mmCIF file of all heavy atoms in Angstrom:
data_model
loop_
_atom_site.group_PDB
_atom_site.id
_atom_site.type_symbol
_atom_site.label_atom_id
_atom_site.label_comp_id
_atom_site.label_asym_id
_atom_site.label_seq_id
_atom_site.Cartn_x
_atom_site.Cartn_y
_atom_site.Cartn_z
ATOM 1 N N ALA A 168 -42.859 155.774 79.944
ATOM 2 C CA ALA A 168 -42.233 156.138 81.222
ATOM 3 C C ALA A 168 -40.809 156.645 80.998
ATOM 4 O O ALA A 168 -40.382 157.634 81.613
ATOM 5 C CB ALA A 168 -42.239 154.942 82.161
ATOM 6 N N LEU A 169 -40.065 155.994 80.111
ATOM 7 C CA LEU A 169 -38.701 156.442 79.826
ATOM 8 C C LEU A 169 -38.688 157.816 79.166
ATOM 9 O O LEU A 169 -37.827 158.655 79.467
ATOM 10 C CB LEU A 169 -38.000 155.421 78.927
ATOM 11 C CG LEU A 169 -37.692 154.057 79.549
ATOM 12 C CD1 LEU A 169 -37.118 153.117 78.491
ATOM 13 C CD2 LEU A 169 -36.717 154.209 80.714
ATOM 14 N N SER A 170 -39.654 158.073 78.275
ATOM 15 C CA SER A 170 -39.717 159.368 77.597
ATOM 16 C C SER A 170 -40.048 160.487 78.579
ATOM 17 O O SER A 170 -39.442 161.566 78.545
ATOM 18 C CB SER A 170 -40.755 159.317 76.472
ATOM 19 O OG SER A 170 -40.412 158.334 75.510
ATOM 20 N N LEU A 171 -41.011 160.247 79.458
ATOM 21 C CA LEU A 171 -41.326 161.242 80.481
ATOM 22 C C LEU A 171 -40.145 161.442 81.433
ATOM 23 O O LEU A 171 -39.885 162.556 81.896
ATOM 24 C CB LEU A 171 -42.572 160.822 81.253
ATOM 25 C CG LEU A 171 -43.894 160.916 80.488
ATOM 26 C CD1 LEU A 171 -45.032 160.367 81.343
ATOM 27 C CD2 LEU A 171 -44.185 162.358 80.075
ATOM 28 N N GLY A 172 -39.441 160.353 81.727
ATOM 29 C CA GLY A 172 -38.241 160.476 82.545
ATOM 30 C C GLY A 172 -37.168 161.305 81.881
ATOM 31 O O GLY A 172 -36.464 162.081 82.544
ATOM 32 N N LEU A 173 -37.040 161.178 80.554
ATOM 33 C CA LEU A 173 -36.077 162.003 79.821
ATOM 34 C C LEU A 173 -36.455 163.481 79.927
ATOM 35 O O LEU A 173 -35.597 164.338 80.155
ATOM 36 C CB LEU A 173 -36.026 161.554 78.363
ATOM 37 C CG LEU A 173 -35.059 162.306 77.430
ATOM 38 C CD1 LEU A 173 -34.403 161.340 76.462
ATOM 39 C CD2 LEU A 173 -35.789 163.383 76.629
ATOM 40 N N TRP A 174 -37.759 163.778 79.751
ATOM 41 C CA TRP A 174 -38.196 165.169 79.871
ATOM 42 C C TRP A 174 -37.953 165.698 81.288
ATOM 43 O O TRP A 174 -37.479 166.820 81.463
ATOM 44 C CB TRP A 174 -39.679 165.271 79.524
ATOM 45 C CG TRP A 174 -40.279 166.593 79.897
ATOM 46 C CD1 TRP A 174 -40.163 167.769 79.229
ATOM 47 C CD2 TRP A 174 -41.055 166.878 81.066
ATOM 48 N NE1 TRP A 174 -40.820 168.773 79.900
ATOM 49 C CE2 TRP A 174 -41.389 168.247 81.033
ATOM 50 C CE3 TRP A 174 -41.517 166.107 82.129
ATOM 51 C CZ2 TRP A 174 -42.149 168.859 82.021
ATOM 52 C CZ3 TRP A 174 -42.284 166.711 83.117
ATOM 53 C CH2 TRP A 174 -42.581 168.062 83.058
ATOM 54 N N TRP A 175 -38.273 164.917 82.299
ATOM 55 C CA TRP A 175 -38.118 165.370 83.677
ATOM 56 C C TRP A 175 -36.640 165.557 84.044
ATOM 57 O O TRP A 175 -36.286 166.449 84.799
ATOM 58 C CB TRP A 175 -38.781 164.377 84.618
ATOM 59 C CG TRP A 175 -38.669 164.752 86.068
ATOM 60 C CD1 TRP A 175 -37.830 164.229 87.012
ATOM 61 C CD2 TRP A 175 -39.419 165.765 86.741
ATOM 62 N NE1 TRP A 175 -38.014 164.836 88.219
ATOM 63 C CE2 TRP A 175 -38.982 165.789 88.095
ATOM 64 C CE3 TRP A 175 -40.421 166.649 86.341
ATOM 65 C CZ2 TRP A 175 -39.521 166.661 89.022
ATOM 66 C CZ3 TRP A 175 -40.952 167.522 87.272
ATOM 67 C CH2 TRP A 175 -40.506 167.522 88.599
ATOM 68 N N THR A 176 -35.788 164.719 83.490
ATOM 69 C CA THR A 176 -34.362 164.783 83.836
ATOM 70 C C THR A 176 -33.645 165.923 83.142
ATOM 71 O O THR A 176 -32.789 166.587 83.748
ATOM 72 C CB THR A 176 -33.675 163.448 83.480
ATOM 73 O OG1 THR A 176 -34.363 162.378 84.132
ATOM 74 C CG2 THR A 176 -32.216 163.458 83.909
ATOM 75 N N PHE A 177 -34.010 166.209 81.882
ATOM 76 C CA PHE A 177 -33.228 167.170 81.095
ATOM 77 C C PHE A 177 -34.000 168.423 80.694
ATOM 78 O O PHE A 177 -33.411 169.319 80.079
ATOM 79 C CB PHE A 177 -32.694 166.494 79.830
ATOM 80 C CG PHE A 177 -31.815 165.319 80.098
ATOM 81 C CD1 PHE A 177 -32.295 164.029 79.953
ATOM 82 C CD2 PHE A 177 -30.500 165.495 80.522
ATOM 83 C CE1 PHE A 177 -31.486 162.921 80.205
ATOM 84 C CE2 PHE A 177 -29.686 164.402 80.771
ATOM 85 C CZ PHE A 177 -30.178 163.113 80.618
ATOM 86 N N ASP A 178 -35.284 168.516 81.029
ATOM 87 C CA ASP A 178 -36.064 169.664 80.580
ATOM 88 C C ASP A 178 -36.863 170.295 81.721
ATOM 89 O O ASP A 178 -36.538 171.364 82.224
ATOM 90 C CB ASP A 178 -37.000 169.237 79.440
ATOM 91 C CG ASP A 178 -37.602 170.425 78.719
ATOM 92 O OD1 ASP A 178 -37.926 171.428 79.381
ATOM 93 O OD2 ASP A 178 -37.769 170.372 77.489
ATOM 94 N N ARG A 179 -37.941 169.643 82.123
ATOM 95 C CA ARG A 179 -38.825 170.073 83.209
ATOM 96 C C ARG A 179 -39.540 171.396 82.944
ATOM 97 O O ARG A 179 -39.984 172.065 83.871
ATOM 98 C CB ARG A 179 -38.059 170.183 84.533
ATOM 99 C CG ARG A 179 -37.507 168.881 85.050
ATOM 100 C CD ARG A 179 -36.977 169.033 86.459
ATOM 101 N NE ARG A 179 -36.308 167.816 86.907
ATOM 102 C CZ ARG A 179 -35.775 167.659 88.115
ATOM 103 N NH1 ARG A 179 -35.867 168.631 89.014
ATOM 104 N NH2 ARG A 179 -35.166 166.538 88.450
ATOM 105 N N SER A 180 -39.684 171.802 81.710
ATOM 106 C CA SER A 180 -40.392 173.038 81.398
ATOM 107 C C SER A 180 -41.759 172.715 80.815
ATOM 108 O O SER A 180 -41.943 171.711 80.130
ATOM 109 C CB SER A 180 -39.595 173.888 80.403
ATOM 110 O OG SER A 180 -39.490 173.232 79.146
ATOM 111 N N ARG A 181 -42.717 173.601 81.081
ATOM 112 C CA ARG A 181 -44.055 173.399 80.533
ATOM 113 C C ARG A 181 -44.066 173.546 79.017
ATOM 114 O O ARG A 181 -44.784 172.817 78.316
ATOM 115 C CB ARG A 181 -45.022 174.404 81.159
ATOM 116 C CG ARG A 181 -45.301 174.160 82.633
ATOM 117 C CD ARG A 181 -46.238 175.211 83.189
ATOM 118 N NE ARG A 181 -45.643 176.553 83.125
ATOM 119 C CZ ARG A 181 -46.286 177.671 83.472
ATOM 120 N NH1 ARG A 181 -47.531 177.589 83.925
ATOM 121 N NH2 ARG A 181 -45.683 178.837 83.394
ATOM 122 N N SER A 182 -43.260 174.474 78.521
ATOM 123 C CA SER A 182 -43.189 174.637 77.070
ATOM 124 C C SER A 182 -42.597 173.400 76.407
ATOM 125 O O SER A 182 -43.050 172.971 75.339
ATOM 126 C CB SER A 182 -42.354 175.868 76.725
ATOM 127 O OG SER A 182 -41.037 175.745 77.242
ATOM 128 N N GLY A 183 -41.570 172.808 77.053
ATOM 129 C CA GLY A 183 -40.979 171.589 76.498
ATOM 130 C C GLY A 183 -41.953 170.435 76.490
ATOM 131 O O GLY A 183 -42.019 169.667 75.524
ATOM 132 N N LEU A 184 -42.743 170.306 77.558
ATOM 133 C CA LEU A 184 -43.740 169.242 77.613
ATOM 134 C C LEU A 184 -44.824 169.450 76.562
ATOM 135 O O LEU A 184 -45.202 168.507 75.846
ATOM 136 C CB LEU A 184 -44.360 169.188 79.010
ATOM 137 C CG LEU A 184 -45.446 168.128 79.227
ATOM 138 C CD1 LEU A 184 -44.879 166.730 79.052
ATOM 139 C CD2 LEU A 184 -46.075 168.292 80.611
ATOM 140 N N GLY A 185 -45.315 170.688 76.459
ATOM 141 C CA GLY A 185 -46.363 170.960 75.475
ATOM 142 C C GLY A 185 -45.893 170.776 74.050
ATOM 143 O O GLY A 185 -46.595 170.175 73.218
ATOM 144 N N LEU A 186 -44.693 171.273 73.733
ATOM 145 C CA LEU A 186 -44.159 171.101 72.385
ATOM 146 C C LEU A 186 -43.861 169.640 72.081
ATOM 147 O O LEU A 186 -44.083 169.173 70.961
ATOM 148 C CB LEU A 186 -42.888 171.937 72.214
ATOM 149 C CG LEU A 186 -43.096 173.436 71.990
ATOM 150 C CD1 LEU A 186 -41.766 174.163 72.014
ATOM 151 C CD2 LEU A 186 -43.808 173.687 70.668
ATOM 152 N N GLY A 187 -43.362 168.908 73.093
ATOM 153 C CA GLY A 187 -43.093 167.485 72.873
ATOM 154 C C GLY A 187 -44.357 166.711 72.545
ATOM 155 O O GLY A 187 -44.370 165.870 71.628
ATOM 156 N N ILE A 188 -45.439 166.989 73.256
ATOM 157 C CA ILE A 188 -46.712 166.316 72.988
ATOM 158 C C ILE A 188 -47.246 166.709 71.614
ATOM 159 O O ILE A 188 -47.737 165.861 70.851
ATOM 160 C CB ILE A 188 -47.733 166.648 74.089
ATOM 161 C CG1 ILE A 188 -47.274 166.049 75.428
ATOM 162 C CG2 ILE A 188 -49.114 166.120 73.730
ATOM 163 C CD1 ILE A 188 -48.140 166.442 76.601
ATOM 164 N N THR A 189 -47.148 167.993 71.278
ATOM 165 C CA THR A 189 -47.628 168.450 69.971
ATOM 166 C C THR A 189 -46.832 167.817 68.833
ATOM 167 O O THR A 189 -47.398 167.368 67.827
ATOM 168 C CB THR A 189 -47.525 169.980 69.883
ATOM 169 O OG1 THR A 189 -48.271 170.571 70.952
ATOM 170 C CG2 THR A 189 -48.068 170.481 68.556
ATOM 171 N N ILE A 190 -45.508 167.768 68.993
ATOM 172 C CA ILE A 190 -44.658 167.149 67.967
ATOM 173 C C ILE A 190 -44.979 165.675 67.822
ATOM 174 O O ILE A 190 -45.066 165.141 66.707
ATOM 175 C CB ILE A 190 -43.177 167.362 68.326
ATOM 176 C CG1 ILE A 190 -42.816 168.846 68.194
ATOM 177 C CG2 ILE A 190 -42.261 166.517 67.447
ATOM 178 C CD1 ILE A 190 -41.490 169.194 68.807
#
Side-chain angles (χ1 to χ4, degrees):
L169 292 175
S170 299
L171 289 176
L173 180 142
W174 168 78
W175 180 257
T176 305
F177 300 103
D178 193 322
R179 296 190 186 182
S180 65
R181 291 179 297 176
S182 59
L184 179 63
L186 282 173
I188 294 174
T189 303
I190 292 167

